Structures are given as structure tokens and as C-alpha cells.
Amino acid sequence: MSAAEIWVVDLALSSTQLEPCSTVLDALERDRAARFLRPVDRARYQASHAALRLILGDALRIAPGDIRLKVSAAGKPELVESALSFNLSHSGERALVGLTRNSAIGVDVEVVRPIPDVLRIARAHFASDEFAALAAQPPDAINAAFFGLWTRKEAVVKALGTGLSLPLDRFSVSVPPTPARLLRMTESGAMTLADIDAGPDYAATVAVKSGKDEIVVRRLAHDWPSRLHR
């Protein structure tokens, strides 16, 4: 795998399709799934993590249920005894899975939905240049631009593996509809950003900690759960 692969996954599954998803998860994943109070949240967690295991299994040529995961010191899930890097994000009925072999990767997807006081939230959490660019958007475009900006920043944080230790106002990215790119972060080195088409009403971004990785977008077929036990 010389390029960064981004997989778009449909999580709108029937009960029959959902049934095999939980059977490939490990004990920690099953325990986490059981903590969700709403059945829809539990189902989307199970489906997204089963899809991740299917994609990783295809890349490593092993069964989804045989994938062994660990958590890094920074709290980021990693593969045991493999140089393959991955990241997972899910929101609503979509999941994104990013894979690379040579660089760290981060992905983020969000359902675009109305948010009251969106500019107040942006001013409180984003860098001043990002807020200025967002506020300059036409009023009817600000909400969608906010979610595009949010996924760009989250993808960068995930690629760096810093979690909440890196404040969102410590770096800047471009604001939609400008193409995705990192504008300011002296400690990051090279970073490739790209918007991902996850479907109508979704914003999605991938960030790869490299200046030269090609981004290849793929989509799992809708019947992907049927492949979990082949």
C-alpha cells in the first residue's frame, strides 16, 4: 500500500446485516458497545468497528475476528505487531476508515446539522484567522463551512495523536470552500489534508502526516457484513 486509503462505509444496516457485526469484535469492544444506552448508538458502534476489522483483515489477509488491537500511550488504537496505521471515525449513518503504511493518519466525519450560535462556538474554540474566514462566509453557508472546518481540525489532531492535549486554537487550517490544507502549525512537519465525499449532509476530512501521500477513496459495498465470516 503506497497510498493512503480512505474507506467510506454505510452504517444503515438491517437487523440481519447487523447480527454478524458483534461476533467479530473483541472483549473490550463488546464491553464498550454494551455501555451505550441507545440501541442506535450501540448498533453504529458495532457496525463501524466490524467494518474497520473487515478492512484491516483484507489489508493484512487475516480474518476480521483475528485482528489484534492495542491502545497506545496517547490513547490511540493501534494494531499489534503491524506497521499498518489506521484511524476510524463515525457519525450518523457513515463511517470513515483511513489506512497508511508509511505515515500517521487521522480521519473525521460529521453529520452537517443546524447549530445555534455557531459563530460563538467557533470564536471560543478555533484560531482567530479561522474564525475570521468563517465569519466572512455568506450567512447560509456558515453552518456547512463550520462542519468542514471542524472535521479538518479533528483529522489533524488525530493524525498527530495528541488528543485533547493540543488546543484547537494552536493551529490553523483552511476554511471551506477553500481546498483543505494546513496553514499554521510549526511543530507538525508536513501534513496532507483532503476533503472526502461521504455523501449529502456529511463533512469529512483525512489528514496524513506526510507531504506526499496519494489519497485513494474507496467505498465498501452495501452488503459488506456478509463478508465478515467468509
Side-chain angles (χ1 to χ4, degrees):
M1 181 190 302
S2 57
E5 290 187 0
I6 312 304
W7 289 86
V8 180
V9 184
D10 184 0
L11 300 181
L13 305 180
S14 68
S15 57
T16 301
Q17 288 177 306
L18 183 62
E19 186 174 345
C21 291
S22 63
T23 63
V24 299
L25 305 184
D26 64 22
L28 289 177
E29 290 168 317
R30 291 194 297 271
D31 180 65
R32 175 68 184 276
R35 297 179 192 175
F36 287 99
L37 298 179
R38 297 199 312 161
V40 65
D41 294 331
R42 186 180 311 117
R44 288 171 179 170
Y45 177 90
Q46 292 170 332
S48 61
H49 283 252
L52 169 66
R53 285 177 165 273
L54 177 63
I55 292 165
L56 291 175
D58 285 347
L60 298 172
R61 298 184 180 180
I62 60 178
D66 292 338
I67 297 292
R68 296 174 60 208
L69 301 174
K70 62 180 180 179
V71 178
S72 71
K76 188 174 183 179
E78 297 176 346
L79 283 161
V80 175
E81 298 177 354
S82 174
L84 185 67
S85 297
F86 70 90
N87 196 228
L88 166 69
S89 176
H90 63 92
S91 180
E93 296 181 343
R94 293 290 185 277
L96 283 191
V97 175
L99 303 181
T100 61
R101 287 197 183 275
N102 304 311
S103 312
I105 190 169
V107 296
D108 195 60
V109 60
E110 296 289 342
V111 176
V112 176
R113 56 199 183 276
I115 293 186
D117 300 326
V118 66
L119 287 179
R120 179 185 59 81
I121 295 171
R123 185 191 290 275
H125 295 284
F126 295 158
S128 59
D129 53 339
E130 294 169 332
F131 171 76
L134 185 66
Q137 301 291 320
D140 60 354
I142 287 177
N143 201 74
F146 171 88
F147 278 100
L149 172 59
W150 180 267
T151 64
R152 292 176 183 186
K153 292 183 77 69
E154 284 293 310
V156 169
V157 169
K158 291 179 179 182
L160 293 173
T162 54
L164 296 177
S165 65
L166 178 66
L168 291 179
D169 62 357
R170 286 277 302 276
F171 67 97
S172 298
V173 297
S174 57
V175 175
T178 302
R181 65 189 181 96
L182 182 67
L183 301 178
R184 174 179 59 85
M185 180 186 281
T186 57
E187 64 267 42
S188 72
M191 183 81 71
T192 299
L193 272 68
D195 295 323
I196 303 299
D197 180 5
D201 300 322
Y202 286 89
T205 305
V206 56
V208 184
K209 199 174 178 183
S210 168
K212 53 188 178 182
D213 277 45
E214 179 188 3
I215 307 296
V216 177
V217 180
R218 309 186 191 281
R219 285 170 169 77
L220 279 186
H222 184 67
D223 64 348
W224 64 264
S226 65
R227 297 178 49 219
L228 288 171
H229 290 289
R230 284 185 180 175

